[in-house]
Amino acid sequence: MITLKTKDEIEIMRQAGRIVAETLTMVGENIKPGITTLELDRMVEEFILSQNAIPAFKNYHGYPASACISINEEVVHGIPGKREVKEGDIVSVDVGSIYENFYGDSARTFAVGEISKEKAQLMEITQKCLMAGIDKARNGNKLGQISAAVQQIADEHGYGVVRQLVGHGIGRKLHEDPQVPNYGTGDEGPILKSGMVIAIEPMINMGTYEVKAMPDGWTFVTADGLPSAHFEHTVVITENEADILTMV
Ligand code: MF3
Ligand code: CO
């Protein structure tokens, strides 16, 4: 069942979204060679709590941290720990907040110092995929138009679009209906309606789209070991351009 949010609920979600956006901006200011992913996670948690919000991922199905931090060939759901990020890494940071019982969810991939041209292009195109998807997120369109727009741009560059993990509706729960795949055709899925709120989150691989789960039970990595990037926004469907809740 897809729930439509009221104006008042959207204003609360705007706060939840603002908090994750500001958190990610703070991460961007602090991510430097030598910092550990656990140090970044601590900063994320402290910042969210300082905003009178709750880190949404902590304890979510037993997840042990406030942020998911995934380096290079790690796609998503990397668990923060003692590993230091280093020059040349690309680091995907995914953050969720709960504010007055509503969720916000957003992710960005950061470059650490100088990165290769190939990694820089992967990040740039993944962000472009997200924005192309958001451009199709409006009242009356089919959800599949979002998916197709994302896939088309990734395909043009010969990248792999992760299929095993998808975007999602969001509201009083982190994951609500509908699922938002990053691949498919424009004639699939439900019709988008004003008041729906969805998280669009392309995960784009430099090589194969295939991913595998690591023994820690959380981290997904690319099957071929090539890098991956991830950008995510929480957006509200309207009659016009989508209202992006997680942009500062
Ligand atoms: N943003 C992630 C998603 O939508 C949520 C990670 S859940 C966690 O899939 F448990 F891994 F934190
Ligand atoms: Co999400």
Side-chain angles (χ1 to χ4, degrees), residues 48-181:
I48 293 174
L49 292 172
S50 79
Q51 300 296 306
N52 300 314
I54 299 166
F57 299 166
K58 197 151 200 181
N59 301 319
Y60 182 81
H61 294 284
Y63 185 73
S66 296
C68 297
I69 306 185
S70 310
I71 303 175
N72 298 327
E73 78 286 357
E74 295 174 349
V75 179
V76 286
H77 302 172
I79 302 175
K82 286 189 218 133
R83 181 170 175 183
E84 296 180 1
V85 303
K86 61 177 201 305
E87 177 98 13
D89 284 344
I90 58 171
V91 182
S92 300
V93 180
D94 193 344
V95 169
S97 72
I98 310 171
Y99 183 79
E100 293 181 6
N101 298 315
F102 283 89
Y103 284 78
D105 188 4
S106 185
R108 298 182 202 163
T109 299
F110 298 97
V112 183
E114 288 273 314
I115 58 169
S116 70
K117 266 209 230 79
E118 290 77 13
K119 281 179 168 174
Q121 184 187 262
L122 176 69
M123 284 176 54
E124 189 190 314
I125 298 305
T126 305
Q127 207 166 1
K128 221 171 136 191
C129 286
L130 171 58
M131 297 321 288
I134 291 174
D135 199 51
K136 299 292 179 193
R138 64 168 70 201
N139 185 69
N141 279 3
K142 284 214 160 172
L143 188 142
Q145 290 179 253
I146 298 173
S147 316
V150 170
Q151 188 186 6
Q152 190 192 324
I153 292 178
D155 283 353
E156 280 168 14
H157 294 269
Y159 292 148
V161 177
V162 174
R163 305 171 79 95
Q164 203 174 320
L165 299 143
V166 296
H168 49 94
I170 179 168
R172 288 181 190 275
K173 291 195 291 181
L174 176 59
H175 294 133
E176 299 184 352
D177 288 339
Q179 291 202 352
V180 184

Side-chain angles (χ1 to χ4, degrees), residues 17-29:
R18 174 197 47 86
I19 291 163
V20 289
E22 289 180 2
T23 306
L24 287 169
T25 297
M26 181 279 295
V27 168
E29 287 161 2

Side-chain angles (χ1 to χ4, degrees), residues 222-243:
T222 57
D224 58 10
L226 290 175
S228 183
H230 180 212
F231 285 86
E232 174 178 24
H233 275 310
T234 298
V235 309
V236 186
I237 308 298
T238 77
E239 287 288 341
N240 306 108
E241 278 181 22
D243 184 359

